[in-house]
Amino acid sequence: MVTRTVDLRSDTVTKPTEAMRAAMASAEVDDDVLMHDPTAFRLETEMAKVMGKEAGLFVPSGTMGNLISVLVHCEIRGSEVIIGDNSHIHIYENGGISTIGGVHPRTVKNNQDGTMDIDLIEAAIRDPKGEIVYPTTRLICLENTHANCGGRCLSVEYTDSVGEIAKKHGLKLHIDGARIFNAAVALGVPVRRLVQAADSASVCLSKGLGAPVGSVIVGSKEFIKKARRLRKTLGGGMRQVGVLCAAALVALQENVLVMLDGDHKKAKLLAEGLNQLKGLRVDVDAVETNIVYFEITEDSKLDAACLLKKLEEHGVLVMPESSTRVRIVVHHQISASDVHYTLSCFQKIYAGVCEENGN
């Protein structure tokens, strides 16, 4: 019988804290489609200020936030966006920029650290002289932190370099900053500095920040004006949305520095502990924030499906990426005790496997 659950599938699984629930219950609300919800306005204003942009807009999800941002920058159908081949927008957002926006993705290989080579980005920009046959490049998208690369952080210097390329060619730059606060904490720089070169950015409220719902996109006043209209078109305009924004304000005020830094330290502890087990391999140096990927080695007696089943019997939940690759994500509701318990479960499972095989 499972008496304890440690949910490491994602940082999206957190439950609202008591402070969040209290804020939601007492939130001052009005109709946000009519732009009268005071709590939504507070959240949007605060996020824009923190991010160093003129204005912000609450949206129901990060997927919608990224889609809106791409569509604002690529108003003409047949536009092209340069994007990482392993990025969230390209892989996990239902191809929305193409199916809904008519925007063509031109992928550039993501390096293991989440970057794309600067020279490859520039080489991917279409020559305007070929517009009779080519799509027109209008946008570059980056992702910080980069989830599929293990939560790696894009530095200020790198982002600025991409921004310079964008300006040189008259392009816009959007940053998918679902976990941008994790990057800011890990790098020790203000979050606004990480998006200074960008024309727009999206910030997820329900990942590292721990709020229950939503994202905020930020940019110029003109950008947000267009984004608000697109949000309504996509069905994202909601009425008394202050109930949700109140929880996000608590998350923004309470969870950012101390809790995110603690998440990163616990992720590192997990990585180091897992890497000591025969049959598992972790690139410990690559663990910069709250995401850990581990590989199940060829000499392991377990594949991912079998390992996950055994972990679930102990109440530990993780996310399989393939038959040999598994993801763990730490969040603010994972304690140091949870980390030690999780490692002990892995140790018991692999010790049992060794006994079964006479090793």
Side-chain angles (χ1 to χ4, degrees), residues 140 142 158-168 171 173 197-198:
I140 301 170
L142 300 176
Y158 174 77
T159 306
D160 284 353
S161 295
V162 177
E164 289 170 7
I165 293 295
K167 286 182 179 179
K168 175 182 174 182
L171 310 179
L173 174 62

Side-chain angles (χ1 to χ4, degrees), residues 66-82 97 100-105 136-141 171-172 174 223 226 230:
N66 286 329
L67 175 59
I68 288 172
S69 298
V70 172
L71 297 189
V72 170
H73 295 310
C74 300
E75 292 182 290
I76 301 173
R77 292 182 69 85
S79 298
E80 189 166 73
V81 54
I82 295 172
I97 62 172
I100 296 173
V103 178
H104 185 261
T136 301
T137 308
R138 287 194 166 85
L139 177 66
I140 301 170
C141 288
L171 310 179
K172 299 297 185 181
H174 172 70
F223 169 85
K226 293 177 180 179
L230 277 169

Side-chain angles (χ1 to χ4, degrees), residues 18-35:
E18 289 303 314
M20 289 179 190
R21 293 179 187 274
M24 293 170 77
S26 62
E28 186 180 0
V29 298
D30 205 325
D31 191 325
D32 187 51
V33 174
L34 301 180
M35 299 175 62

Side-chain angles (χ1 to χ4, degrees), residues 255-271:
N255 289 6
V256 175
L257 296 177
V258 176
M259 291 189 178
L260 290 183
D261 184 57
D263 293 345
H264 300 170
K265 289 176 179 175
K266 283 175 276 194
K268 199 76 165 182
L269 283 174
L270 272 170

Side-chain angles (χ1 to χ4, degrees), residues 20 42 49 85 94 114 118 160 251 294-295 305 308 327 336 345-346:
M20 289 179 190
R42 277 181 57 210
K49 180 181 177 182
D85 68 338
N94 301 109
I118 297 293
D160 284 353
F294 65 84
E295 302 287 340
L308 263 62
R327 189 185 80 166
C345 291
F346 273 92

Side-chain angles (χ1 to χ4, degrees), residues 90-145:
H90 182 58
I91 297 175
Y92 298 119
E93 299 185 8
N94 301 109
I97 62 172
S98 298
T99 57
I100 296 173
V103 178
H104 185 261
R106 184 162 170 84
T107 58
V108 173
K109 178 179 173 55
N110 279 119
N111 300 314
Q112 290 185 348
D113 63 357
T115 63
M116 298 177 281
D117 289 346
I118 297 293
D119 58 343
L120 294 181
I121 292 175
E122 189 159 26
I125 299 171
R126 303 288 188 175
D127 185 343
K129 295 176 182 177
E131 65 180 358
I132 192 68
V133 291
Y134 297 136
T136 301
T137 308
R138 287 194 166 85
L139 177 66
I140 301 170
C141 288
L142 300 176
E143 182 178 336
N144 196 12
T145 65

